[in-house]
Each structure stands twice: as structure tokens, then as C-alpha cells.
Amino acid sequence: MTKHIFTGFGFGPIQAGLFVAEAFKSGNFKRIVIAEIDQKLVDAVRANNGTYYVNIAGFDGIRTAEIKGIEIYNPANSEDRLKLLDVLSASTEIVTSLPSVNSYYTGENSVAQLIAAGLNKTRSKPALIYTAENNNHAAEILAEAVEGKLKKHLPDNVQFLNTVIGKMSQVVTDKDEILRENLMPIAPGIDRAFLVEEFNKILVTKCKLANFTPGISGFIEKEDLLPFEEAKLYGHNAIHALLAYLGAYKGYKKMAELKNDKEIMKIARDAFINESGAALIKKHAHLNEELFTEKGYRAFAEDLLERMTNPYLDDTIERAARDPQRKLGLNDRIFGTMRLALEQGIEPVNMAKGAVAGLVYLKSSDGSVKNATSWLWKDNDSIKDKDLLIELIDNAEKSLLKA
């Protein structure tokens, strides 16, 4: 079998601890190449002979994986850029794992520009392009951006894939924490460590390229990813945020501390199974997928509640709660789940408690929760179910104050 060639854009914990790690483990790739603009990180991995380390948190401890033989280039460097273009022209699997889809367009050497330039070179091999930016339509956005740079239709042997990645991860930058947890830095000379959970059940769009077998074989293909993306946003992401905000409200510092708080865990479990789960099952039961059944969704919820509070993942409340203005957006994890539940005739009383704790964490100008919602929703006066949401928040606020 002809060996594959991998190119990844961005060198964060998901790229390093999932995509590159799986490509390396498969043995199906003759070259694994990374494009990264952090020159210090590029230099450190090169100086370590293309080897880096990932710390993997299981339920019984942390182990370290060594990934070897990686090529890493900075596209801002003219020599490195030429090498990247050469490898892109022959790559069979390309992965973007960047802060957001906005990164596709950023700078003279944008990802869209580089991929387009690589596709423009003479090539006969098919290519899968995975997008891992936590956006339901990342593949379509990148495909449009690349096609705009090509100024012609995309080749028939190239397919852009969306992903649903439920793998929790972080970059640990605190030197004391790296020493305390006995973590292996990414490479010698870098005071950063990748820490990812062991979970590797990743969903991707079904590959439709003729006579092509992906080099990374462990992913689960789905014809339609959108229902599963909703389960990720309104289930996994929503409850992770709810736990973080309730934890902050009660003064906790680590997500693992919540495991022993019966009140918080009951709110989270009820919100997950009886509100998020009940709504998603009603919406997607017709798909005949195991996830969208009472048994399947309960197993999904219980597994995630255990993983979210895994002490070896060492997740902090502050990290899980960050960016509250985005997470409390009308269509995002907390209020998006509440609105979905209301659409399905379910009263999200437990999600509302997470919303109140989130609004307290966000803080409005005068400290009142009601003012915070007015500020967040100032451009959405006519939103559906606004009065119901406000009523739920008022009741949840009273309930939390009593507790």
C-alpha cells in the first residue's frame, strides 16, 4: 500500500495529541509535517530531532507518549514556506486545528492561501482535509476560502471534512504545575506541556473519495454530522460550562473538586439527561442512532460527567469558565441548550441555574443578573422565548440564593 503524507496546520494539543498522534501510531504515513508560526516551538521540536511529547490522562494516572520523525515548518519563513508547498502538493491528509475559522484568512500566508497554492501544483493524489475548529460548518467555510484563492473549482479528488471532537485537552504553561504533575514538556527548552485525555472516539464526515482509504483509520464516519455536533454543543460543552460556572459560584478551583459536591453533580446530571438529552432525543429520535435514545444518551452523559471531573486531567475552573461572553451567547452552550429545550416543550430549570452562575461570573456593570442579560441581549429584543428565559433565570437566581 502506498504510504500517506500528512500535513497539519497549527500545533496545539488537539493537533499534537490527536491527529498527529493517530497518524504516527497508524504507521501509514511516510511523512508527517506541521505548519506552525511559533518559531520557538518550531526550533525546539527541530532541535529534538523532530520528536515531541504528549501527556495522556486516563482514570488511573498520566502516561507520556513520544511522537518521533515529525517535520515542522514556519510558513512565515520563505524557505519553510516553499517546503510546505511542496509537501502540500503531495499530501493525502491535511488537518487544520486552529483557534477559529477566522484563522483561515489571516495574514499573507493564510491557511486558505497555502492549501490553494499546494492544490495548484501538479498533483494526482486525492486528499482529505479535516477541519477541527469547533465550528459546525468549518469544512464548508474552508472549502469556500480555498476555492476563492484557486479562482477555479476545487479538484474532484479533494474533500473537506467536518469533525466532532469530544477529546478534552489543554496546554499547561505553569512551570510549577508541570513539575508538580510530573508532566513532560513538549520538547526540551519549552516550558509548556500538552495534556490530553485518553478518549479518542472522534466523529468525521464520511469520506466519499473513490478508491481512497484514509491513513488515519480510527475515526467514526457519519453521513450527517450536524445532530452529533448539536450533542457536542448542547450536551458536552453545555454541561462542562455549567459545571465550571456553578463551581466558580461556590468557590472551587479545580473541576475534579466538583465530583464530591452532590448538589452540583445532581444539577449537572439532571440538566444533561432530562433537559439537554430529552430535547435532543425528541429532535433526533428519527435517525435511529444509539446516541439519541434514552439509554444511549444516559451512557454519553455519565461517561462525560466522569471524564470532566477526572483529577488527572487537572482541569481548572478558570480554564473551563473562560470567555463567558461567548459561552453565554443566545445560540451557544448555555442559552442555546435552554432554547432548544423550550422548543421541545421541556423546562430547563437546571440549565437555568448554570446560566445564573455564568452571569454572576461574567458580572454586569452593577452586578445584577438581570442587567447582565439585558446587556448580552441588547441587539436581540425580539428573540423567541425571551420572557420565558428571563422567568427561568429569575427563579434559578432565587433558588441559588436560598442554597
Side-chain angles (χ1 to χ4, degrees):
M1 182 176 120
T2 303
K3 293 262 187 170
H4 288 271
I5 294 176
F6 176 102
T7 300
F9 287 90
F11 196 50
I14 289 297
Q15 185 77 271
L18 173 61
F19 289 100
V20 175
E22 289 296 316
F24 175 75
K25 187 170 69 174
S26 74
N28 292 330
F29 292 81
K30 64 180 179 182
R31 293 181 73 185
I32 297 177
V33 178
I34 295 296
E36 171 55 53
I37 59 173
D38 182 338
Q39 190 62 50
K40 185 177 179 182
L41 185 53
V42 170
D43 291 341
V45 175
R46 282 181 180 169
N48 200 37
N49 298 314
T51 297
Y52 71 91
Y53 308 96
V54 179
N55 302 281
I56 302 169
F59 290 119
D60 56 356
I62 297 173
R63 63 182 176 85
T64 300
E66 180 184 61
I67 314 296
K68 299 188 276 190
I70 306 305
E71 300 171 55
I72 187 165
Y73 302 113
N74 184 346
N77 177 289
S78 58
E79 289 185 15
D80 281 10
R81 186 179 188 277
L82 289 175
K83 290 175 183 176
L84 272 174
L85 292 179
D86 281 339
V87 77
L88 279 167
S89 70
S91 293
T92 53
E93 279 164 78
I94 298 168
V95 178
T96 64
S97 186
L98 302 161
S100 79
V101 294
N102 295 332
S103 302
Y104 297 160
Y105 310 94
T106 305
E108 181 183 349
N109 294 305
S110 70
V111 171
Q113 179 67 54
L114 289 166
I115 293 175
L119 294 181
N120 254 332
K121 285 177 169 280
T122 303
R123 59 175 291 139
S124 58
K125 291 183 180 179
L128 289 179
I129 301 176
Y130 298 90
T131 56
E133 282 72 40
N134 203 24
N135 182 299
N136 292 352
H137 303 289
E140 293 81 4
I141 293 167
L142 182 56
E144 183 180 359
V146 170
E147 192 167 48
K149 298 293 184 183
L150 281 171
K151 298 181 181 175
K152 63 181 181 182
H153 291 306
L154 290 165
D156 292 336
N157 63 349
V158 174
Q159 183 184 355
F160 291 76
L161 307 181
N162 281 305
T163 62
V164 178
I165 300 171
K167 187 182 183 79
M168 289 178 280
S169 65
Q170 60 175 304
V171 180
V172 181
T173 57
D174 187 307
K175 293 180 186 179
D176 293 336
E177 185 176 351
I178 290 171
L179 287 171
R180 185 173 65 250
E181 302 298 331
N182 197 27
L183 302 178
M184 181 75 80
I186 298 168
I190 290 285
D191 293 323
R192 282 174 265 166
F194 292 137
L195 179 59
V196 304
E197 67 167 338
E198 209 162 25
F199 178 85
N200 262 2
K201 187 179 177 182
I202 309 304
L203 307 183
V204 300
T205 310
K206 186 175 179 62
C207 172
K208 296 183 178 178
L209 298 180
N211 303 314
F212 180 81
T213 302
I216 301 175
S217 59
F219 298 154
I220 301 166
E221 295 185 332
K222 296 290 182 182
E223 287 283 355
D224 182 9
L225 273 188
L226 189 57
F228 300 93
E229 288 168 341
E230 288 189 351
K232 170 75 165 31
L233 180 62
Y234 301 135
H236 182 164
N237 295 149
I239 303 306
H240 195 243
L242 174 144
L243 281 169
Y245 293 133
L246 287 172
Y249 187 84
K250 293 186 75 170
Y252 291 113
K253 299 298 182 185
K254 297 276 190 177
M255 292 291 283
E257 295 176 284
L258 307 182
K259 187 188 288 285
N260 298 318
D261 189 308
K262 292 181 180 179
E263 180 191 20
I264 286 181
M265 293 307 292
K266 184 178 188 310
I267 292 170
R269 185 168 280 105
D270 287 345
F272 211 156
I273 295 169
N274 301 325
E275 295 171 10
S276 163
L280 286 165
I281 290 167
K282 283 185 76 172
K283 184 174 180 180
H284 297 303
H286 66 282
L287 297 174
N288 295 317
E289 287 276 1
E290 176 66 18
L291 177 60
F292 301 110
T293 64
E294 287 187 18
K295 180 181 177 183
Y297 203 90
R298 180 178 290 276
F300 173 65
E302 295 292 356
D303 174 62
L304 270 164
L305 289 170
E306 187 73 16
R307 288 162 49 204
M308 289 174 188
T309 54
N310 180 356
Y312 294 108
L313 195 56
D314 201 36
D315 204 2
T316 64
I317 296 289
E318 182 181 16
R319 195 200 72 80
R322 67 186 176 190
D323 199 5
Q325 187 172 341
R326 174 175 62 86
K327 290 178 180 174
L328 293 167
L330 270 174
N331 298 309
D332 213 285
R333 49 212 73 193
I334 298 285
F335 286 108
T337 307
M338 291 176 69
R339 296 177 75 192
L340 172 69
L342 290 171
E343 285 171 9
Q344 300 299 326
I346 296 160
E347 192 173 2
V349 293
N350 292 286
M351 284 304 308
K353 292 175 183 178
V356 169
L359 291 167
V360 169
Y361 189 86
L362 174 67
K363 295 179 184 175
S364 64
S365 56
D366 67 358
S368 85
V369 166
K370 190 169 286 187
N371 257 26
T373 58
S374 298
W375 172 68
L376 274 171
W377 302 343
K378 59 182 178 293
D379 297 323
N380 295 279
D381 290 333
S382 61
I383 63 166
K384 186 181 177 183
D385 295 327
K386 182 176 180 180
D387 291 340
L388 270 173
L389 289 171
I390 294 293
E391 183 181 343
L392 282 162
I393 289 166
D394 283 344
N395 291 337
E397 185 176 18
K398 292 169 189 172
S399 172
L400 283 178
L401 286 173
K402 281 181 186 176

